[in-house]
């Protein structure tokens, strides 16, 4: 009671709350409560509920803190990048990245430097969380690591008065790994804030993020026959020799962001706004060695050249927009100016490798959202820009969702992008002669996507989807780690679905994807089928003081001739003449999850089938996936 009174004095909020008698629990609303103290005085006591703790992205609607115990959440909180990684396969060590098993265009690589294997936990400018909480709030996400280390992701957020919120987030990961020279060490720090004036005419968002993704690169297993022999001497993976030692790749990512909106008129009558957004983002990629590894990289060295590569990119962006922000109709259109630089630190003039690119870009951006009769929703985005160095850029995404019958949703999508290849494809300088390249005057890579999704809530809470991609000037690394562009289009079809069936306290969740490379199959080897099935039991336990989930899930993809991993570039390259195949082996996990109030425990026996059969599963040729391990996770929400 005393604590709640302090909150009243500190914040002075909830003026429109519902007044109820504290003895009449049947009348309590899910909204913030004003509780009658039962005494004849002026004291009013406010009791926050979960609906008073909100989170949003920059251009999304506010949502309540997700403290549910849905099985879909377990796919996310147990992963180091806090995403459902269906369609990917993880390396043997936590934090060492993934290989994509399905085509998925990552827009974060547009007009910037971002190697593929460093991209899986990068947080974009529109992915930052902003909060609105009635009391100070702390969240903890913890997972153990491979051999030594762990990962902690924690957030503290607090409102200062009714109009300003700040948040501090930190993620730290360190995992030694089971194999030699496979240490992963990453961290990110985020400061964010959100302010809205008392008259609702001015609103501002700001954040700063500093992120590092650092990995030792061991080049994979030196002798696969040793790994596959089943010899008990090598059950300790430290006894297996790897190809590289003293090799490291590091990626740094930093961004300052500020966005503000002003309503010159009464926003309740005229939802017209002026918006200004400015940010500066810097990316750096380093690759370093302590000694030359000419045999592994199959190249001679250049005398006097340093044993490291350094690349960087910077983007200073300014956008001015006019905004009409109505609940049923939202439109913003504006002008954008960018100053972009890309540098190759150790340029080698003798080989005509340039060291520095810069340009000023001018363009326009626009967003449109329409809601009709609560049955139809249209979202469209368009961005166009022109520059002298990196060419023209065009991106548009379009989504139409309608509900012809209650609980049946139909979604159609049409997306198009024409952009310069990611900067990691443009140049590279190295003391290895064969790893110096310059992709001169590349064409824009254009991606057209047409697809749709049908959601059937009454049919096992299921959904089915289909997508078709056409990619012109597809940019890739050949088997010599050199960038190339395809002269003919790459065509891809994807069909899949997900459903959950329930019988009493037993549940079955399944997700499948069928994909086919219709042309130029050799340029993007992927499995034809990816599937995940999860059979689990969920019920109350310990006299309803807790809820438990326990079950088994199996992940599987068909065997295919995989791309190889290039540790120097942190990219995937086409296989050589002796291509290694991966897949065709199930990966089974058993688990026990438990929720006690707002604390969640996750215990997973990952790759359980490796305890009775040999590990023959790989992420990429020469890179085995993890052996059996006990993955321990903790999630804790504290609403102080």
């Amino acid at each position: 009671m005393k604590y709640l009174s302090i909150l009243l004095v500190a914040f002075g909020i909830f003026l429109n709350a519902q007044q109820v008698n504290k003895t009449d629990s049947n009348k309590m609303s899910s909204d913030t409560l004003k509780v009658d103290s039962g005494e004849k005085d002026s004291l009013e006591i406010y009791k926050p509920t979960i609906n008073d703790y909100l989170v949003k992205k920059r251009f999304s609607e506010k949502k309540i803190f997700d403290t549910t115990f849905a099985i879909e959440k377990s796919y996310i909180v147990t992963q180091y990048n806090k995403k459902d990684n269906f369609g990917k396969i993880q390396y043997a060590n936590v934090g060492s990245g993934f290989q994509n098993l399905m085509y998925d265009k990552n827009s974060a690589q547009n007009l910037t430097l971002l190697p593929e294997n460093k991209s899986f936990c990068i947080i974009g400018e529109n992915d930052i969380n902003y909060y609105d909480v009635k009391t100070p709030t702390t969240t903890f996400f913890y997972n153990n690591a491979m051999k030594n280390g762990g990962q902690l992701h924690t957030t503290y957020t607090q409102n200062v008065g009714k109009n300003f919120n700040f948040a501090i987030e930190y993620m730290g990961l360190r995992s030694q790994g089971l194999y030699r020279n496979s240490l992963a060490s990453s961290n990110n720090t985020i400061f964010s804030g959100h302010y809205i004036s008392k008259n609702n005419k001015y609103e501002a968002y700001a954040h700063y993020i500093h992120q590092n993704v650092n990995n030792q690169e061991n080049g994979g297993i030196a002798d696969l026959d040793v790994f596959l022999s089943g010899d008990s001497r090598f059950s300790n993976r430290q006894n297996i020799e790897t190809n590289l030692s003293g090799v490291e790749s590091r990626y740094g990512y930093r961004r300052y962001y500020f966005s503000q909106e002003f309503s010159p008129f009464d926003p309740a009558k005229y939802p017209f706004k002026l918006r200004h957004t400015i940010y500066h983002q810097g990316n750096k990629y380093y690759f370093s060695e302590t000694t030359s590894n000419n045999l592994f990289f199959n190249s001679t060295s250049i005398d006097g050249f340093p044993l490291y590569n350094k690349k960087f990119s910077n983007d200073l962006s300014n956008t001015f927009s006019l905004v009409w922000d109505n609940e049923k109709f939202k439109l913003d259109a504006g002008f954008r100016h960018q100053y972009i630089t890309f540098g190759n630190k150790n340029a080698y003039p003798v080989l005509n490798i340039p060291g520095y690119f810069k340009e000023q870009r001018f363009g326009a951006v626009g967003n449109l959202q329409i809601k009709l009769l609560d049955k139809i929703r249209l979202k469209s985005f368009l961005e166009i820009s022109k520059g002298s160095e990196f060419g023209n850029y065009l991106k548009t995404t379009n989504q139409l969702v309608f509900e012809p019958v209650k609980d049946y949703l139909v979604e159609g999508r049409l997306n198009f992008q024409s952009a310069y290849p990611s900067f990691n494809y443009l140049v590279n300088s190295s003391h290895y002669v064969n790893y110096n390249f310059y992709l001169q005057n590349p064409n824009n890579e254009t991606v057209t996507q047409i697809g749709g999704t049908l959601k059937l809530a009454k049919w096992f809470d299921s959904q089915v989807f289909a997508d078709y991609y056409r990619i012109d000037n597809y940019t890739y690394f050949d088997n010599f780690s050199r960038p190339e562009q395809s002269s003919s289009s790459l065509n891809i079809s994807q069909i899949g679905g997900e459903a959950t069936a329930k019988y009493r306290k037993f549940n079955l969740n399944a997700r499948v994807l069928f994909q086919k490379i219709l042309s130029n199959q050799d340029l993007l080897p992927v499995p034809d089928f990816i599937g995940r099935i999860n059979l689990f039991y969920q019920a109350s336990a310990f006299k309803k003081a807790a809820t438990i989930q326990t079950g088994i899930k199996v992940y599987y993809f068909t065997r295919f001739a995989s791309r190889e991993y290039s540790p120097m570039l942190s990219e995937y390259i086409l296989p050589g003449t002796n291509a290694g195949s991966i897949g065709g082996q199930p990966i089974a996990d058993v688990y026990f999850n438990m929720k006690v109030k707002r604390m969640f425990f996750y215990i997973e026996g990952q790759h359980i089938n490796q305890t009775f059969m040999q590990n023959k599963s790989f992420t990429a040729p020469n890179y085995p996936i993890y052996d059996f391990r006990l993955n321990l996770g903790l999630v804790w929400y504290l609403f102080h």
Side-chain angles (χ1 to χ4, degrees), residues 289 292-294 299-309 346-353 428-437 482 568:
E289 300 172 281
S292 294
N293 295 276
N294 301 76
S299 177
T300 58
S301 293
I302 300 173
D303 293 336
F305 200 98
L307 299 178
Y308 59 83
N309 312 343
N346 296 328
Y348 198 60
V350 175
L351 297 177
N352 296 318
I353 306 294
N428 193 68
S429 293
S430 171
H431 67 94
Y432 298 111
V433 174
N434 294 344
Y435 281 80
N436 289 272
F437 61 75
R482 291 183 172 273
M568 179 180 291

Side-chain angles (χ1 to χ4, degrees), residues 483-499:
E484 300 286 349
Q485 286 194 309
S486 174
S487 59
S488 56
S489 63
L490 182 67
N491 296 273
I492 307 168
S493 66
Q494 295 178 347
I495 300 174
E498 183 174 10

Side-chain angles (χ1 to χ4, degrees), residues 187-332:
N187 62 77
N188 69 49
T189 304
I190 303 174
F191 298 95
S192 65
H194 175 222
Y195 171 79
I196 185 168
S197 63
K198 292 182 179 180
N199 59 8
N200 294 322
K201 286 190 172 184
Y202 179 80
E203 188 171 13
Y205 296 84
H207 73 252
Y208 165 78
I209 179 172
H210 187 191
Q211 187 165 4
N212 294 300
V213 184
N214 304 325
N215 299 98
Q216 287 183 336
E217 302 286 356
N218 64 17
I221 301 297
D223 188 346
L224 283 182
D225 291 335
V226 169
F227 174 76
L228 297 173
S229 68
D231 191 324
S232 59
R233 292 176 299 172
F234 302 108
S235 58
N236 180 352
R237 299 310 194 186
Q238 288 288 318
N239 293 333
I240 299 179
E241 185 180 355
T242 56
N243 284 306
L244 300 174
S245 62
V247 179
E248 184 181 26
S249 65
R250 293 183 291 153
Y251 184 75
Y253 183 88
R254 183 179 298 179
R255 181 174 59 250
Y256 302 86
Y257 176 95
F258 180 69
S259 180
Q260 57 185 337
E261 298 177 351
F262 174 68
S263 301
F265 312 111
D266 182 358
K269 295 181 179 179
Y270 305 102
F272 172 72
K273 300 178 182 179
L274 305 174
R275 177 188 295 153
H276 170 234
T277 300
I278 182 173
Y279 70 78
H280 179 270
Q281 179 171 300
N283 302 0
K284 296 180 180 180
Y285 177 67
Y286 299 159
F287 176 82
S288 62
E289 300 172 281
T290 54
T291 60
S292 294
N293 295 276
N294 301 76
L295 184 62
F296 176 81
F297 290 104
N298 192 28
S299 177
T300 58
S301 293
I302 300 173
D303 293 336
F305 200 98
L307 299 178
Y308 59 83
N309 312 343
K310 292 186 178 182
K311 301 179 187 179
F312 66 89
S313 68
N314 291 287
D315 181 359
L316 176 61
S317 173
N318 254 300
T319 306
F320 297 87
S321 301
L322 304 179
V323 182
W324 183 268
D325 191 1
N326 185 273
E327 182 180 359
K328 301 293 184 181
F329 180 83
K330 296 183 180 181
L331 174 65
D332 69 74

Side-chain angles (χ1 to χ4, degrees), residues 436-618:
N436 289 272
F437 61 75
Y438 174 31
L439 183 63
Q440 298 188 54
N441 303 315
N443 296 314
N444 273 15
E445 183 181 77
T446 61
V447 182
T448 304
Q449 177 190 8
I450 302 174
T453 301
L454 175 62
K455 296 182 179 181
L456 310 169
K458 290 186 176 181
W459 289 79
F460 305 110
D461 193 20
S462 61
Q463 61 174 327
V464 294
F465 67 87
D467 286 287
Y468 168 78
Y469 296 89
R470 176 189 169 98
I471 310 169
D472 293 302
N473 302 317
Y474 175 65
T475 310
Y476 60 95
F477 288 102
D478 64 17
N479 59 308
F480 298 106
S481 299
R482 291 183 172 273
E484 300 286 349
Q485 286 194 309
S486 174
S487 59
S488 56
S489 63
L490 182 67
N491 296 273
I492 307 168
S493 66
Q494 295 178 347
I495 300 174
E498 183 174 10
T500 301
K502 298 181 180 181
Y503 177 73
R504 295 184 179 179
K505 296 179 181 179
F506 291 91
N507 303 264
L508 180 65
N509 175 258
R511 186 174 181 181
V512 297
L513 172 72
F514 299 89
Q515 61 182 343
K516 188 67 175 177
I517 309 298
L518 303 175
S519 62
N520 286 317
Q521 298 93 331
D522 296 338
L523 300 184
L524 183 62
V526 291
D528 293 331
F529 171 80
I530 306 170
R532 179 178 65 197
I533 189 167
N534 187 356
L535 176 63
F536 65 100
Y537 173 87
Q538 180 167 340
S540 299
F542 307 111
K543 297 182 179 180
K544 297 186 178 181
T547 304
I548 63 170
Q549 295 171 344
T550 183
I552 181 170
K553 56 186 175 184
V554 180
Y555 188 50
Y556 177 85
F557 56 93
T558 51
R559 192 168 181 83
F560 71 104
S562 169
R563 294 180 298 173
E564 298 175 356
Y565 177 62
S566 171
M568 179 180 291
L569 301 172
S570 283
E571 301 276 7
Y572 291 91
I573 66 176
L574 293 184
T577 53
N578 299 319
S581 295
I582 69 171
Q585 299 282 335
I587 303 168
D589 304 338
V590 296
Y591 61 90
F592 177 85
N593 305 330
M594 182 171 65
K595 174 187 177 184
V596 180
K597 294 185 177 179
R598 293 198 175 101
M599 182 178 288
F600 303 76
F601 302 90
Y602 295 90
I603 304 174
E604 286 186 329
Q606 295 185 334
H607 205 180
I608 186 69
N609 45 319
Q610 192 263 330
T611 60
F612 56 84
M613 59 185 293
Q614 189 177 350
N615 183 4
K616 296 182 179 180
S617 298
F618 292 82

